[in-house]
Amino acid sequence: MPSEVALLESRAMRDEHQGRVEVLDKVKALVTLPDGIHLRTEDVARYFEIHRDAVHSVVKRHRDELQANGLITLKGSELQRFHMAVLATWDESYPQAGAHLRLYTRRTVLNIAMLLRDSDIARCVRTYLLDAEEEGGRRQGYASLDRRVTKVEANLDTVGHALQELGPVINGISVRLDRLDRRLDATNQVVGAMSNRLCDLSDDMRRMERRMDSRMDDVAHQLRELQRGQRRKRR
């Protein structure tokens, strides 16, 4: 959830909440002019329980943003027409129109609530906005989870049928794997026997080599003895 400081500092974040004008009356009753739309500077100051100079200060710093959210200044003939159509019918005593009249809408007041730092009412409005956003996020999260659970439940039957169909296939694969295991065991036995036979053949070869070496030694010795006997005869 965004913090109150982020709401005070970020116009983009304020724009996201600009349509939530209903929170104003939930925090405190907002009294408008007889047209039910506009408020004067003193009306805005009374709502936020601050001096009107504080309202003027916010307007001075954020005029473009507030004008985008309904702030207007009436002068000349426009002011006279508004005075005759709205203010002249008001039971409350209202002085003759001056040189200009600054008017605010509910969107403008909400915008000011997200800009005023030194007003308990403005802080309450911001808190209400952020709490409502968090609660809305939780509701969306619950709704999303509910939809996901419903989807899983709807697919359980399909999953069950699929598992039933897979049962024979899995069983057949299991049988084939058992056969392969038996064949591998038989192959391992054959390989083991061949390995043992090769070891025996290797031992036989070594014994034959030793006998051949011994016989070759005997033949060589006999040849040497024969040669010595022939040399003695010649002498």
Side-chain angles (χ1 to χ4, degrees):
M1 182 183 74
S3 66
E4 183 181 353
V5 174
L7 195 61
L8 287 165
E9 299 295 337
S10 171
R11 178 173 178 177
M13 190 170 295
R14 292 193 293 271
D15 288 342
E16 292 179 2
H17 295 82
Q18 199 57 59
R20 303 289 306 283
V21 294
E22 74 279 357
V23 304
L24 296 171
D25 288 310
K26 292 181 178 180
V27 174
K28 180 182 177 182
L30 184 67
V31 180
T32 64
L33 293 175
D35 64 354
I37 299 174
H38 296 97
L39 300 89
R40 302 163 299 173
T41 300
E42 51 265 44
D43 301 323
V44 177
R46 188 180 302 117
Y47 176 82
F48 289 113
E49 299 176 1
I50 57 176
H51 194 274
R52 59 183 296 162
D53 289 344
V55 180
H56 288 311
S57 178
V58 173
V59 172
K60 184 178 180 180
R61 293 196 307 270
H62 303 278
R63 185 181 301 274
D64 291 341
E65 182 178 345
L66 294 172
Q67 286 178 339
N69 285 297
L71 178 69
I72 58 174
T73 301
L74 299 181
K75 298 179 182 179
S77 59
E78 288 185 343
L79 176 56
Q80 292 177 359
R81 287 194 296 271
F82 185 83
H83 178 79
M84 293 300 296
V86 178
L87 300 180
T89 62
W90 200 8
D91 292 337
E92 179 179 332
S93 176
Y94 184 78
Q96 184 66 29
H100 69 274
L101 176 63
R102 185 172 289 160
L103 295 175
Y104 308 74
T105 65
R106 289 177 177 272
R107 288 176 64 90
T108 319
V109 177
L110 181 60
N111 200 161
I112 292 174
M114 292 186 283
L115 292 167
L116 269 176
R117 295 178 180 271
D118 299 323
S119 167
D120 291 336
I121 300 299
R123 280 193 287 270
C124 287
V125 172
R126 291 193 294 270
T127 299
Y128 195 98
L129 281 173
L130 296 175
D131 289 346
E133 179 183 2
E134 183 179 19
E135 180 63 26
R138 285 198 295 266
R139 286 197 299 270
Q140 290 179 359
Y142 296 153
S144 176
L145 178 60
D146 182 68
R147 287 193 297 271
R148 292 168 63 185
V149 171
T150 302
K151 186 175 181 180
V152 170
E153 290 176 345
N155 290 329
L156 284 178
D157 290 340
T158 303
V159 173
H161 291 314
L163 290 175
Q164 290 177 355
E165 294 176 356
L166 283 174
V169 177
I170 294 174
N171 184 62
I173 293 174
S174 177
V175 171
R176 293 176 64 186
L177 289 175
D178 289 340
R179 292 173 182 171
L180 285 174
D181 285 340
R182 289 193 293 271
R183 292 176 64 183
L184 286 173
D185 288 341
T187 302
N188 288 334
Q189 292 176 1
V190 172
V191 171
M194 292 178 64
S195 176
N196 293 333
R197 179 56 181 163
L198 288 173
C199 290
D200 293 340
L201 288 174
S202 177
D203 292 339
D204 292 342
M205 291 294 294
R206 284 194 290 273
R207 285 193 294 271
M208 289 180 64
E209 289 176 355
R210 286 195 293 272
R211 287 198 295 271
M212 289 293 294
D213 290 339
S214 177
R215 294 183 64 183
M216 291 296 294
D217 290 340
D218 291 341
V219 171
H221 177 72
Q222 292 175 4
L223 287 174
R224 285 195 296 273
E225 290 296 327
L226 180 60
Q227 290 174 352
R228 282 196 292 270
Q230 289 178 350
R231 284 196 293 271
R232 282 194 296 271
K233 290 178 179 181
R234 292 191 189 100
R235 293 175 185 169

